[in-house]
Amino acid sequence: MLPIHGQQQHCLLYAPPVPSDHAGLAVDRSASTKWPWSLGQRRLVSFHGPQRNSRQCGCRAKAGQRDSGAAPDLQDSIKQQQQPPPTRQIMLSPSVVKILYKRTLKSLASLPLAIGELFLLAGLSAIGTIIEQNKPLQFYLDAYPDGANKVLGFLTYNWIFALQWDHIYTSNYFLGLMALLGASLAACTSTRQLPMVRVARRWRFAQTPERIYNQGSAEILPDADVKDLGGVLMQKGYQVFRQGPSLYAFKGLAGRLGPIGVHASMLAIMAGVAIGGLGGYKGSVMVPTGGDFLVAQALTPNSPVGSLPKGAKQVLHVNGFDVEYRPDGSVQQFKSDLSVFDLDGNQKQQKTISVNQPIRFDGVTAYQTDWSIAAVTLRAQGSPLQPEGNQPFNLPMASLDGQPGVSGQAWATYLPAEKAPTDGSKPRGATVFARDFQTVVIYDAQGKFVGVRRPGSALPIQVEGMQLVIDDLVGSTGLELKVDPGVPYVYAGFAGLMITTLVSYLSHSQIWALQEEAMLHVGGRTNRATIAFAGELSSILDSVPDRGSSESRAGSEQPQTSGTLSLAAGPLYIKANGSRIKQTNPGAGANRNPEYVPSDAAGNVNGSSIGFASLDDAET
């Protein structure tokens, strides 16, 4: 058949040899310079000539006015050869893009590359754990100064900002490295894990004993039935398939799917990290008791692609702040009573939060992270600030963090005892100092210690002509606000990772069996826990009942001449040390002798021939 479709056509000919100088036919000799054609062989032929009707068959073609239905003669071919052949050729070659795609997949699926990516991510994560992340500029200027006090002798804020170590988890190279690791996992899954699953799902019955004895573990059960073996395997949790004398059983296919689930879970975790890093918001506020704020005003986007959630358009109100202390005076817990209101003033949620117990509302999470002293509530008779009626009033307190001579957290305020002098000098007064909510220290105008009072004790103290009563210390709660749309993906990824890791430890075990008269060939293999599988297979074979055919076969045993082999007697066994002996009718199940391995007549262990011979004479 020669279908012709163009000026230069390729076809497959079933033809005998033709002369090399045949006109009009140019034969591809890339494989050989000879013509070793025989009838029925396929060769690729290029035909040069005018356009032919593609529906002509049997090597028939139209050439000008000719349409006789027969093949063109030699003269026509010579005339056609005189015409110059076209220069255009149709070349069919593999796609360059496809080749590059496969090479890229192979490179990405490299195990050393994936391990290197993991080590780099682990190292960068360690840096992000040591260096505080997303802190204000002044924090890094103070903590990592330039000059003689460099951290570790070289680390300064300049290096931190240049390497993006102040936000390393959302830096360009960290996200790019995660994307590369994700590509490696996806490539490994598509080129290795998925093909392994497809192969595991395809199975065939063993048709010959050689197929069975090529497995990891194999034995012969004389006087056993394949049906009984199938029943025992079903009791052991195997899925059993039988076709005539052949049997196939497997269990633990989920173990093959486990690694794919592990990779998918890791991809989900990395996707969640990337989504949270690019589309999230962060912010921190210090709000005194009784204060409130619009959530959107306290949020800062991680990148320009982020979008505010619904909760950003709500108001967070601080109903109260409290600190719980242990008997020794150390802090036990910070608590904030918060309420969420919409813009119409309707309360939507109220909750008392503490460390590790945040409040969540419409995509926003508020954590209890810090605290401060906002003001002191007191009564100060003799002070120009005292309201009429001796009513208590709030005097704001300022943090002394970073001030010379002050270590740790401390707050202070100044209470004037007189009106400000007209000359602009400092008025006479007292200093109120506190480090926590339990005690207040009072100093006079010269900075001398006057006394200590506990808030709420109602005990007055005289200082600079004033009588002070400390009623309370007003606290401020430090809230960390976070919008992270990737959290569900991270949680789902970790949950899937725990489950699929356990599933990966399941063994995918397969068992084949072939019945040959009263002899049952059984073999199996597993992808892990081979010793345990060998024990399980041995237990299964021990449970197969004896069909009792050994007695009937023993009576039909025929003598043989010296040096000849009989195919009817008991099978030949080869011992672990290489010596061969005849094990007459070892029986099935518990009567089998697992010390011996079946061999063929030529002494090939694990059966390289279809039949198994036995020796009548033990001395042979």
Side-chain angles (χ1 to χ4, degrees), residues 353-620:
I353 69 170
S354 58
V355 179
N356 298 326
Q357 295 293 330
I359 182 173
R360 295 181 174 89
F361 55 95
D362 295 331
V364 180
T365 304
Y367 298 89
Q368 177 73 64
T369 58
D370 202 357
W371 63 278
S372 178
I373 299 178
V376 57
T377 303
L378 50 76
R379 289 169 289 172
Q381 294 182 4
S383 173
L385 301 180
Q386 176 63 47
E388 297 181 359
N390 199 27
Q391 296 295 322
F393 64 97
N394 291 334
L395 190 61
M397 301 190 73
S399 175
L400 301 180
D401 188 20
Q403 296 297 321
V406 178
S407 60
Q409 290 184 311
W411 294 264
T413 187
Y414 189 77
L415 177 63
E418 61 183 7
K419 292 182 180 181
T422 58
D423 57 1
S425 61
K426 180 180 178 181
R428 180 174 51 87
T431 300
V432 181
F433 179 88
R435 288 188 177 274
D436 51 39
F437 292 93
Q438 299 186 88
T439 57
V440 173
V441 182
I442 301 170
Y443 298 89
D444 61 14
Q446 288 74 36
K448 295 181 179 180
F449 174 77
V450 177
V452 177
R453 290 293 183 267
R454 185 176 294 273
S457 63
L459 295 177
I461 186 172
Q462 297 292 330
V463 57
E464 299 292 342
M466 299 179 294
Q467 180 175 307
L468 305 184
V469 177
I470 307 298
D471 291 327
D472 196 9
L473 286 174
V474 179
S476 293
T477 178
L479 302 177
E480 186 78 21
L481 303 178
K482 187 175 183 180
V483 176
D484 192 346
V487 168
Y489 299 95
V490 175
Y491 285 171
F494 273 110
L497 186 62
M498 291 187 291
I499 296 173
T500 53
T501 300
L502 295 177
V503 172
S504 299
Y505 284 97
L506 296 178
S507 300
H508 179 226
S509 303
Q510 303 174 88
I511 294 178
W512 289 266
L514 178 64
Q515 183 84 57
E516 286 189 336
E517 297 182 354
M519 186 177 298
L520 183 61
H521 306 273
V522 183
R525 66 184 179 191
T526 186
N527 64 327
R528 63 177 71 248
T530 55
I531 297 178
F533 173 72
E536 181 187 29
L537 182 59
S538 177
S539 174
I540 290 173
L541 298 182
D542 287 341
S543 302
V544 178
D546 190 344
R547 303 292 290 181
S549 60
S550 59
E551 292 83 357
S552 61
R553 194 172 69 251
S556 62
E557 187 173 342
Q558 300 294 330
Q560 66 177 46
T561 59
S562 176
T564 62
L565 297 175
S566 171
L567 300 178
L572 177 70
Y573 286 87
I574 183 168
K575 208 170 183 181
N577 59 8
S579 62
R580 294 185 296 164
I581 68 170
K582 174 186 175 185
Q583 179 73 14
T584 304
N585 301 328
N591 297 323
R592 67 190 177 89
N593 191 346
E595 181 182 1
Y596 301 102
V597 180
S599 168
D600 60 10
N604 299 313
V605 180
N606 287 341
S608 60
S609 64
I610 295 179
F612 290 90
S614 61
L615 293 176
D616 268 0
D617 190 355
E619 287 79 22
T620 302

Side-chain angles (χ1 to χ4, degrees), residues 243-258:
Q243 185 181 64
S246 300
L247 178 145
Y248 172 78
F250 76 90
K251 71 174 182 179
L253 183 59
R256 291 289 189 182
L257 300 175

